[in-house]
Amino acid sequence: MTPRRTRLVRVPDLPMFRRAIRELARQAIAADPSDVVVVVPTRGAARQMSRSCREMPAEAFVTRDELYDVLLARLAHPPRRLTVFERDSMMLAAASASSPNVRGAGLPFQIRPGLVAEMLRFYDQLRRQSQTVKRFQELLEDALGGRATDVDRGAERMLRQTAFLADTFRDYERRVRESHACDEHALRDRVLAEQEGSWLQPVRHVVVTVPDWIADPDGLFVADFDLLSRMPGLLTIDIVCTEALLGSGFHERLHGWWPGIDEQEGAGIVDPALSGLPRSRPTLVTPAPAVVAAAAAGHAPTAHVTPAPYWFTFRDREEELIAIARRVVLEDLDRIAIVFKRPLPYLYLAPDTLGSAGIPFEAADALPLAAEPTAAAIDLVLDVVETNVTRQSIVALLRTPHFRLIDAADSLAATTALDRALSAARYLGERSRLEALTAIPTGAAPAFDAAVKAARELAPLFEPSPASTQIRRLLAFLDAHFRPLDESDPFVHRERRARSAVVQTLASLADAHALHHDPLWSIEDLAAAVRRWLGEQTFVPESEGAGVQLLDDQAARYIECDDLTLVGLVENEWPERPKRNIFYPLSLLKALGWPSEKDRRGAAAARFLDLLASASRRVALSTFTLDDEALVTRSMLLDEVPRARLSMVVSDDQAEQEQSEHESVEHEWTELRIGRSPSSDPAFHGSLGPQPARTWSVSAIETYLDCPFKFFAQHVLRLQEEPDDEEVMDPRRQGQFVHQVFEAFFRDWQTAGRQAITPENLDAARGMFAEVVDRALVRLPDAEAGLERTRLLGSPAAAGLGEAVLRMEAERPVAVVERLLEHRLDGDFVFATAAGPRTVSLRGKADRLDLLADGTFRLIDYKLGWPPNKSRALQLPIYGLSAEQQLSASRGRPWMLGEAAYLAFKGPKRVVPLFSSRENRDEILGQAQQRLSDTLDAIESGEFPPKPDDVYRCETCSFACVCRKDYVGSI
């Protein structure tokens, strides 16, 4: 063992912690800058320390994992270090080889990529705790009663699991040895086996600024401390730690590993004159106390002051940042820090809060690579194959700006046209069916050709193949279709880096599988692996390097700042919930060195208290109540605030706390909200002012009666409804199909020389109708054909719609002389209203008009759903009055509406008449004419409020995303 000095440097707080690290680094640099390494928890922390120790090379600040890279690089004959992809592949190979060896009933689980990742994490944890595989197996078998003969079923399953894990770990270690490369654990053994003179340049001085992994998730492990104590050539080890963390249990554990370690106060290293002097501590900014007025019986109200909490409470994370933006003074922004546990939501919100308020900010934290738009585009490619080229997936792939798949100038219009065409063709997926489509509009042709080409290029991914082959097929598609980068784009550099990171990740994964283990992968296996690895890789966006500092709690320990705000103080984040072991309960893991939850909680509280006192001027605490629309509770660490013993001051920005929680900071949304019309303005409630008279269809006017705003969106704005993919026909297509069937039947019936359907020819009509139905069903899928056959022809349980139509006519005494099918009713018609006769221009199509021998006609309307309420019905009575006028004018004799009925598939009755007598007929037709006139008046006056006749219509409305549906019922 190399003679060395091992010292624990105790500091009272984080300001002294940072000063002690700088002084120790300065002393080491004076001897030899290349001899010193400072171990920090994260790259963000390393960046902060390199800024404050500019005289020290930035590469001297390393994380735990980077420390092993430094040691590897300084060996005279270093082995190659395995990548994370290679280690995962080797562990998967070892697990696959070990699973057949499991005795008894086999494994209690399936070997999947996510499980392999957990196995590798568990193996690393064991080895870092200085536990061998043999010792792990012995301890677990003893604890589970492995030598007993009467173990219960649960223990027996866990014993089989232990044997499997031990075999897998041993096989993995064998594969590492045979690869002539090394992982972290083999490298640690190699370093300890090296002679002092065999190093290219040994590390002489290590400054450790992190505790162990129990006190800090990014800390060192037992094996790391053992390595430092025995590493050849290392002369000095300094461990710098705050008193709070030492008191949480780390001090006791450290003395257990290194008995007799020297201890020294940090003030004595920085400046002996500082020893014993009072420390400068920040002021805690708190909300103002709440004043509550109360009155006892017979007495005047008195004001009671409710003590204020130590923290601010906001609605969500966005409002936390908004409140900070309001109180930031645009001076010394780089001395202001915002500290969080979860970087992702705050880094996403910062541009729209701090950035929109004109406050520059800098973020040092890495984001998941999967959060980059380029990585998200890869998911679109996988989705096309996973869903077997459904309409939504292929259209989304064509629309993404990250790929160039269409050469047409207006690719967006072509893709939109293709989307509509595929929906109209009822295309639900399958590449062969896509290629077989023929009725593609000219405008959609470029997008259709691109979709077919993309589907063909991705076709090999449908077939199971070796993992490396599948990944390289995906890479080939990406390489062929990535959109060329525009150098004038302000985001071009970030896009290029993201693409490079994605491609490098996939290429490394393919190489690892080709070299170590190349199982057959289906598209599901490929998609799961790609998403997992892209999610685990990180990507650091470039920053301008100035402004408010956005930091996680690890990097915040190393920054010098005047103003510190801790945000997101909610349960399960402060402290963060530890990742549990999926193989064994904590009671079994304690023998292997796993800590108790009490140890973790104590260390988390110590780190929190250190952060509270780390700023030089003031500190504020912030929590919220809603996260992704779910209620959350504040962190229990807030109960520890009094232990910090900070002086307090009430916020002088109380006005900001009383403002609407929905108000935003000076950005475009604020201006839009302020500039919109007031609630008293008629335009706010759907009033556009006078509109020119137009020819409307009767069905459109009925839509106005259903909901004026839906009429406005569909017939005035002409917005198109988003098509939906369904396994069976939607109601609109079902209606078209039923109409076509009845039209075909009655045409064939008339072509055969027949008009009326009577009791005598009813059976013949039934037979012909069944033949027509069978011909129509041929073009439908089998499952859908069965449903429609039952709907039209019926079943033993209920008669079909066809039977209701045929029987209704056979029961009528007056003969049919002519049928008008799908009859157009277009033109100017005169209707009687309270204000006198009114000429209205209408268009429509009656499902069926039966001209009867007595000079009357029967009007039939097919309804697949329920018949409309007679008090609101418009289509049938207006069609009847219009047909009277049209037939009388065109045939030279008067015709009168004698019968009008709905043939409805739903409801207690199939045949629902519009009226039952002559008097009832005149009343209903009169009401319908007045209702038509009133509706046209409302349309021409421009009144389109969101006021459905039934609020349940809003649940299925296609235009809900553009409707102020929250005003329904208030106007």
Side-chain angles (χ1 to χ4, degrees), residues 31 60 69 90 143-144 234 316 322 395 427 515 517 528 853 870 889:
D69 289 332
M90 295 168 78
L144 293 168
L234 182 58
D316 51 29
I322 290 172
V395 168
Y427 170 75
L515 183 61
H517 184 56
K870 293 180 182 180

Side-chain angles (χ1 to χ4, degrees), residues 497-574:
R497 291 178 59 231
R499 285 188 186 182
S500 177
V502 168
V503 170
Q504 182 60 44
T505 297
L506 296 181
S508 298
L509 183 59
D511 292 343
H513 279 291
L515 183 61
H516 298 289
H517 184 56
D518 214 5
L520 286 180
W521 270 7
S522 65
I523 179 58
E524 291 78 14
D525 298 323
L526 173 66
V530 169
R531 289 172 179 139
R532 172 201 161 195
W533 284 110
L534 291 183
E536 291 187 1
Q537 305 304 305
T538 57
F539 181 82
V540 181
E542 293 188 340
S543 176
E544 298 179 358
V548 174
Q549 303 293 306
L550 300 181
L551 307 161
D552 64 16
D553 65 318
Q554 294 284 29
R557 297 172 64 85
Y558 296 83
I559 187 175
E560 300 280 356
C561 66
D562 297 331
D563 193 324
L564 181 73
T565 303
L566 274 61
V567 296
L569 288 162
V570 295
E571 196 62 32
N572 295 329
E573 289 188 29
W574 292 82

